[in-house]
Amino acid sequence: KDPKRKGEYRDATLADARPLGYLPSVTTVLALLAKPGLVRWQVEQGIKAALDWPIEPLVYPAEVADIDGMVQDIYHKSEEYLRYTQDFGTAVHWWINHKLQAVEVQELPPIIPGAEEVADGLLEWFPVNGFEWTHTEKRFADVQLGVAGTVDLLGSRHGKAAIGDAKTQEPPLTPYLEHGLQLSGYSLGLGLAPDVERWSFIANRANPGEVKA
């Protein structure tokens, strides 16, 4: 609760976290690192949004066209796509967790077209490639390391202990450095042995069933 505004709420800060013992997530810690691959992808989405924008206003002199307004509109368009990719990934995780654990829930599934099909493609791909998952959305908190998190998948591959993290992309399916760092943080946070296999699964949003591991 916000102490300055009665009845209102605000995001937690470090000042709140220290006395209460809150821990940052692995992904929050990794957010401190430079991510040139992610930044390039975000810039590319802005360029694509600009190329898709109606070109007519650009034929007029700059003082006539509302350039600043156009830039803001294009920016918001690219932001909408970024939010869509995040919502799509969240929906895929919901379906994986729901179907692997056969959880009966009252809540409605996320209505994101194509998300269930991508999740089904992953679930069909896993056993064919030797994966068997015993836990989904496994939470942990390690006070000594000072991090917490939620691991997508915990189980085995061909009988050998493994953890997994599922992501969705559109082609080309591209692994990034932080994917491996994220899995390392999860493995440490769970106290797993160093030789536990760590897998990042990149599912194709445009072609359900295609997976890069």
Side-chain angles (χ1 to χ4, degrees):
K1 291 183 179 180
D2 191 333
K4 297 181 181 179
R5 298 176 179 82
K6 189 174 181 180
E8 295 187 20
Y9 292 83
R10 59 171 174 74
D11 291 336
T13 65
L14 283 175
D16 302 316
R18 288 192 177 107
L20 295 173
Y22 295 161
L23 299 176
S25 69
V26 171
T27 49
T28 297
V29 174
L30 291 178
L32 300 174
L33 296 176
K35 296 183 177 62
L38 176 61
V39 171
R40 175 172 177 166
W41 179 79
Q42 291 174 325
V43 170
E44 287 175 351
Q45 303 319 306
I47 294 172
K48 289 177 181 178
L51 292 174
D52 288 341
W53 200 255
I55 200 69
E56 289 82 0
L58 298 181
V59 301
Y60 298 102
E63 61 270 17
V64 175
D66 182 8
I67 299 299
D68 290 340
M70 287 174 57
V71 169
Q72 287 300 312
D73 288 342
I74 293 170
Y75 173 77
H76 290 314
K77 184 179 179 182
S78 66
E79 283 288 291
E80 286 177 5
Y81 180 73
L82 297 181
R83 284 193 295 272
Y84 160 74
T85 62
Q86 293 168 349
D87 291 343
F88 193 98
T90 299
V92 169
H93 282 90
W94 189 95
W95 282 112
I96 290 174
N97 181 60
H98 177 68
K99 295 190 176 191
L100 269 181
Q101 298 300 324
V103 180
E104 291 297 331
V105 293
Q106 298 300 318
E107 64 185 270
L108 292 173
I111 309 301
I112 306 291
E116 185 178 5
E117 289 77 6
V118 170
D120 286 341
L122 271 167
L123 294 174
E124 292 171 6
W125 187 92
F126 287 144
V128 171
N129 290 275
F131 291 96
E132 183 177 355
W133 305 114
T134 55
H135 294 84
T136 64
E137 302 296 317
K138 177 71 173 177
R139 293 183 175 88
F140 69 88
D142 189 311
V143 176
Q144 186 174 359
L145 282 175
V147 295
T150 303
V151 183
D152 291 349
L153 302 159
L154 182 63
S156 62
R157 184 180 75 96
H158 297 309
K160 182 177 174 58
I163 61 173
D165 183 77
K167 302 185 184 301
T168 67
Q169 292 180 2
E170 291 178 3
L173 306 183
T174 308
Y176 294 114
L177 172 64
E178 58 266 22
H179 294 171
L181 295 175
Q182 183 181 24
L183 286 164
S184 295
Y186 289 162
S187 186
L188 287 169
L190 286 168
L192 301 178
D195 63 344
V196 168
E197 293 188 359
R198 309 164 193 174
W199 289 87
S200 182
F201 306 105
I202 305 175
N204 190 341
R205 283 195 294 267
N207 182 25
E210 181 185 351
V211 180
K212 186 169 187 176

